[in-house]
Amino acid sequence: MSPPAAKISPLPNYVEAVLPVPLRRSFTYRIPETMRGAIRLGARLKVPFGKRSLTGYAVELHADLPTDIEFDESKIKEIIEVSDDEPLITPEILKLTQWTADYYASFWGEMLKASLPAGINNEKVRPKRRKAVRLLLASPDAKPFSEQQQKILDLLTANGGEMLFTDVIEQADTNASPINTLVKRGLLEIYVEDVMRDPLGKADFPALDDFTLTDDQQTALDQITTAVAGDAFKAFLLHGVTGSGKTEVYIRAMRFALDAGRSAMMLVPEIALTPVFSRRLRAVFGSDVAILHSNLSTGERYDEWRRIRRGDARIAIGTRSAVFAPLENIGLVIVDEEHDPSYRQHESPFYNARDVAVMRASFAAAIVVLGSATPAMESFYNAQSGKYTYLSLPERIGGRGLAEANLIDMRKVFKIAGKDLALSPELIDAIRETFAKGEQVIILLNRRGFSQFVLCRTCGETMKCKNCDITLTFHRGTDNLVCHYCNYREKSPSACPHCESMYLYFVGEGTEKLEHILARFFPQMRIARVDRDTMAHKGEMENVLLKFASGGLDMLVGTQMIAKGHDFPNVTLVGVISVDIGLGLPDLRSAERTFQLITQVAGRSGRGKKAGRVLIQTYYPEHYALRFAKEQDYDGFYKEEIKFRQRLGYPPFSVLASIMIKHRVHARAMQNASILRRSLDAANIAKHCRILGPAPASLARLKNEYRIQIILKGATRRALRETLQIALADAESQGCDMHVIYVEIDPVNLM
Ligand code: ADP
Ligand code: ZN
Ligand code: ZN
């Protein structure tokens, strides 16, 4: 009798691939005979697409053609190549990216691409390998060898039997030939070693503090670790004032997760992953921590990502896209400064890493901790409604008070001086006093460049970008007028291009001008500027911050890059120069942003043993965002702001989608917008959504494209998504050009 045939699932003949293109569907390909055993879910595939070939991702394997669609067998193309034996994308990330694409009405293929380290599909990003030499016998018999050969063998023996090829040549002062002879005689072996590029290199790591947690810290930590041990999803909002020791709670919670055999992730805002903090984490967790952020070289990022994928690093720390890091068995997800706008990806595929992080934890039955001194309105609302568990660290470590903040009314300053001043006398005095005491200063101005715009005093024209509806900003360093949206630049004019008048007026100051003014007032102070212009090169930001931390600089001037996360104990004065310009913008979150930014930067002052102060120059001292920021009163601000949101039916009382229709030709943009509006109306029969527009966006033209906007306000997320889904499909069938439609769910602003 023959044994029963083993049940073998048939090898797949077809694969569903999603491609990094703005299409909401997958594509079916035939798998050639030879590749049937090799292909796995999550592998990258090279596939033909139209006349091109693209890198796609295997998301489903079938033995037979799917039956839900009619196929013309002969039209199905074959895949060209399976790029990975070991799929880069884990089943968990497949599921998470699919959910994310769906939630944000975005594209799965683009989301998968965004989940991988940048440049991975580019042939230039390869593992780095080096040639090394290994001794095959523990103690080779000494007699037959030449002097040179003996030297090589001794060197290797002294170094544990393995060395880099180049090191052997250098240290034994030899060339390749005696090594090759020894290889031929079977005494040595040459092999290739995988070298991991380490973003932190051989930097010095700080000594570890080993303090006892405060009662508040301990209570928060206990709740988190109990939940991590519990193995079910739970979300916390950790609301702790600046300097209350949140970071220490994160570190100990991650240590707990690790000891419990789980992995952990911590997301930080774009520029908050400071060199100081990275080094501290490395000191605590050693090679268990991998660091992922945009300032790494492509090779470094690839290697850090591979260490996670292989399970060598079980803690991933990084910015936005690190939420897709391929950690297995994740137990804890932390989102630091969860309110930060940099978690939002501003181009397709749109997503908010904070919200994806919550979903990731939920899928993995893990714990998520959202931490902030100024929680986003939505997060605090969720804590109040019981969706998140609220944890609070209401006091600074060591009983230090928050820095005392004062508003300086710039309208009064104008009256007394008879003209606009960048710096009030009060702030100048405060800087002088601080410097005299040997303490440090941070000055925040949320606008880079020299002058905000250029105005002709004769004809009243402002110099505008030729691609955008935006005034150009004067940059003195390069003597250019620059568009801060599309980066268009031109030589700064000596006469008005409209009327040829010589009376050009440079209005408003940016960080570049402020630095000049400060240098003139305080020639003795060592000042550095931190903004996107000065920090264009890799490592520059790092150098300046390390220098400031070690006392090699007296004052930092910069944009919001300097507001977040840094811990400089010797900073006792923070000056805020007109950040309230944001209050004039047509943005539902402008009050929230202003409040957050001032509170964050104020939190940089007085973190050490010395008391700190904050001076806020403003033209709107009565505005509630300013009043509550001065008091650093989050609860007061929340109560006021939530009333405003409720009155206007804004989130969290509704769900928003911003649909931008962009085209170089205005009429074409309008035409597509009208089709879409009709489809939206048809889809919205139950009237669960409000539809506004189409209307020109506040930034009506950018990068040479007209921007028409439709805003959708849904009573529930479900209503919004259903209406949108039906409408988009309908619009497409009505001839709407889907390539010009950009949908953003939960937009952070409406501009
Ligand atoms: P946050 O992240 O809330 O702004 P940090 O975690 O940076 O605050 O803590 C502020 C400072 O207090 C840091 O210098 C940190 O090392 C220190 N610190 C934190 N917890 C303690 C503690 N329990 N005892 C003493 N110092 C602490
Ligand atoms: Zn003019
Ligand atoms: Zn422009």
Side-chain angles (χ1 to χ4, degrees), residues 209 211-214 217 240-248 250 280 336 393 397 400 565 567 604 607:
D209 315 299
F211 23 65
T212 317
L213 293 184
T214 63
Q217 282 175 315
V241 299
T242 52
S244 60
K246 293 185 289 296
T247 311
E248 196 56 35
Y250 301 147
R280 178 149 165 239
D336 188 27
L393 301 177
I397 295 290
R400 265 161 243 152
D567 190 16
R604 302 310 115 213
R607 292 173 72 90

Side-chain angles (χ1 to χ4, degrees), residues 456-473:
C456 171
R457 289 216 273 192
T458 308
C459 74
E461 283 282 349
T462 52
M463 312 298 138
K464 284 206 170 136
C465 175
K466 68 181 178 102
N467 305 320
C468 311
D469 222 357
I470 299 285
T471 52
L472 294 166
T473 302

Side-chain angles (χ1 to χ4, degrees), residues 135 137-159 163 168 171-174 177-179 181-182 185 187-188:
L135 206 55
L137 294 171
S139 48
D141 190 352
K143 287 188 280 183
F145 305 118
S146 74
E147 195 187 326
Q148 209 37 278
Q149 290 168 341
Q150 188 60 49
K151 206 163 151 193
I152 291 166
L153 292 170
D154 290 346
L155 183 70
L156 274 160
T157 309
N159 281 284
M163 285 178 80
V168 176
Q171 291 176 35
D173 193 17
T174 178
S177 126
I179 302 181
T181 313
L182 288 168
R185 294 174 57 183
L187 289 153
L188 299 182

Side-chain angles (χ1 to χ4, degrees), residues 11 61 77 89 205 230 238 256 291 306 320 334 345 391 430 433 436 445 461 506 511 538 566 643 646 648 663 677:
L11 286 177
L61 300 170
K77 295 181 184 161
I89 295 158
F205 299 119
L238 176 60
F256 180 90
I291 292 178
R306 281 197 302 149
R320 191 167 60 221
I334 293 164
Q345 163 111 337
L391 302 172
E433 285 160 23
L445 170 60
E461 283 282 349
F506 291 72
T511 43
K538 176 171 149 39
H566 312 295
K643 277 193 266 175
Q646 186 151 31
L648 296 181
H663 205 286
R677 168 77 210 220

